[in-house]
Amino acid sequence: MFNLMIILLSTINSEPKDSNNYKIAKFIIENIHNLEEFTLTDFAQSCYVSNSSISRFCRDIGLRDFHALKNQIARFAIEHEHAKGKFNFNDFEAQSLSKSYILSVIDNLKTLYNSHIENDLEHLVEDIHAYKKVAAFGYMQSENVALNLQYDLQTNGKILFTCIKFIDQVDYINNADEETLIIIFSESGTYFDRVFQRTKPFKNLKMKPKIYMITSNFSISLPYIDAYVRYHSRNDFASHPYPLIIISDLICVQYTKILQEKNNKTAL
């Protein structure tokens, strides 16, 4: 599934402000409801770039050509109406909207509390300690969780790779080998639907990286994912990304515990 707006936001968050890709992405975001009749030349003139820059931008964000970009823009209106529903959450009896929302978040975290994830997390953290090359990725809010994990693990001397730009994530995954551990944060479990839209994943399963997915999707089962950390969630606006943040914190707590245990054994 290709989400144009998420890709555009990721582009302006990662590209220099004076780059052509930044200018084009910003223009599309600001004018997306009025672009269905724009030609390639209209785009180029509006962004003060060449026609070839527009074509290159399309390829950089994972589209085949300008025609594919126009198709995504045409689909945006329908997807935009659907996306508005993500802000719905279960109301709780409270005196204010803020208290109702907070109670909703707490209620969802109770479902996480009742999830049995301890053993799965222990196996994951053991692998994080064992592998020299470790990476973590997610989409938008989930990528922020990966960034936090990167920062927190480095305090214990573990260097984890991640990147905001989705096309760079895809490139890393496609070029990773069996000596690499990759952690995917994906509440919906649809992360790889975006990564492998038009390509066959991992032609040689023996040479692929080891992959963990942290998700609330209990039905997904992909042949190239080695292990899952599954948790329960209501999957509404008040449920994301809080469980993933807590799980990221638990990974760091467990990793610290492993280091302490190994240091104690060494001291003996």
Side-chain angles (χ1 to χ4, degrees), residues 10-245:
S10 176
T11 299
I12 66 171
N13 287 338
S14 57
E15 293 281 353
K17 289 187 177 181
D18 60 350
S19 69
N20 286 341
N21 281 359
Y22 179 94
K23 295 174 185 176
I24 298 167
K26 186 172 184 290
F27 174 77
I28 297 174
I29 291 171
E30 293 176 346
N31 301 277
I32 195 165
H33 295 288
N34 305 305
L35 299 177
E36 288 191 37
E37 303 302 321
F38 267 51
T39 65
L40 176 61
T41 300
D42 292 334
F43 264 90
Q45 291 177 349
S46 298
C47 299
Y48 302 99
V49 299
S50 65
N51 286 15
S52 60
S53 293
I54 300 293
S55 298
R56 186 162 50 250
F57 169 81
C58 295
R59 294 191 295 272
D60 286 347
I61 67 171
L63 295 174
R64 183 178 63 258
D65 51 26
F66 177 71
H67 179 69
L69 175 63
K70 289 293 297 293
N71 286 339
Q72 290 296 326
I73 290 173
R75 291 175 52 188
F76 175 79
I78 299 173
E79 294 175 352
H80 182 64
E81 286 302 314
H82 176 72
K84 289 181 179 178
K86 70 176 288 188
F87 295 101
N88 297 328
F89 65 94
N90 293 338
D91 290 326
F92 283 76
E93 293 183 6
Q95 296 177 348
S96 68
L97 176 63
S98 60
K99 289 184 178 179
S100 179
Y101 177 77
I102 292 169
L103 286 174
S104 184
V105 172
I106 292 171
D107 180 73
N108 189 70
L109 291 181
K110 287 180 180 178
T111 66
L112 174 63
Y113 178 82
N114 292 321
S115 301
H116 302 289
I117 60 175
E118 290 85 356
N119 289 338
D120 294 333
L121 280 180
E122 286 181 9
H123 292 310
L124 169 58
V125 175
E126 286 285 354
D127 277 342
I128 291 174
H129 184 266
Y131 277 74
K132 291 184 178 180
K133 293 187 290 185
V134 181
F137 302 118
Y139 213 53
M140 291 299 286
Q141 286 179 303
S142 297
E143 174 56 24
N144 289 333
V145 178
L147 288 166
N148 288 335
L149 180 63
Q150 179 189 51
Y151 177 81
D152 290 336
L153 281 179
Q154 63 83 28
T155 63
N156 273 321
K158 187 67 181 185
I159 305 302
L160 177 147
F161 176 80
T162 190
C163 52
I164 296 175
K165 199 171 180 181
F166 188 66
I167 193 169
D168 292 336
Q169 296 183 21
V170 175
D171 183 66
Y172 184 95
I173 292 170
N174 284 328
N175 289 286
D177 58 22
E178 69 276 14
E179 296 182 355
T180 305
L181 172 69
I182 297 178
I183 306 161
I184 301 299
F185 291 97
S186 178
E187 169 140 330
S188 64
T190 59
Y191 179 88
F192 284 107
D193 291 344
R194 299 179 175 96
V195 174
F196 299 124
Q197 291 185 73
R198 297 184 295 271
T199 59
K200 183 178 180 181
F202 306 117
K203 295 178 181 179
N204 187 345
L205 293 179
K206 294 182 180 180
M207 301 292 289
K208 75 169 191 65
K210 185 170 187 178
I211 301 176
Y212 278 80
M213 177 176 281
I214 302 175
T215 182
S216 65
N217 188 333
F218 279 77
S219 62
I220 188 172
S221 180
L222 299 173
Y224 46 84
I225 294 181
D226 300 277
Y228 293 87
V229 178
R230 303 186 198 262
Y231 61 92
H232 293 283
S233 172
R234 286 203 316 265
N235 300 117
D236 59 12
F237 183 65
S239 69
H240 184 64
Y242 308 109
L244 291 179
I245 292 172

Side-chain angles (χ1 to χ4, degrees), residues 242-253:
Y242 308 109
L244 291 179
I245 292 172
I246 290 176
I247 290 172
S248 174
D249 288 345
L250 289 172
I251 289 173
C252 295
V253 170

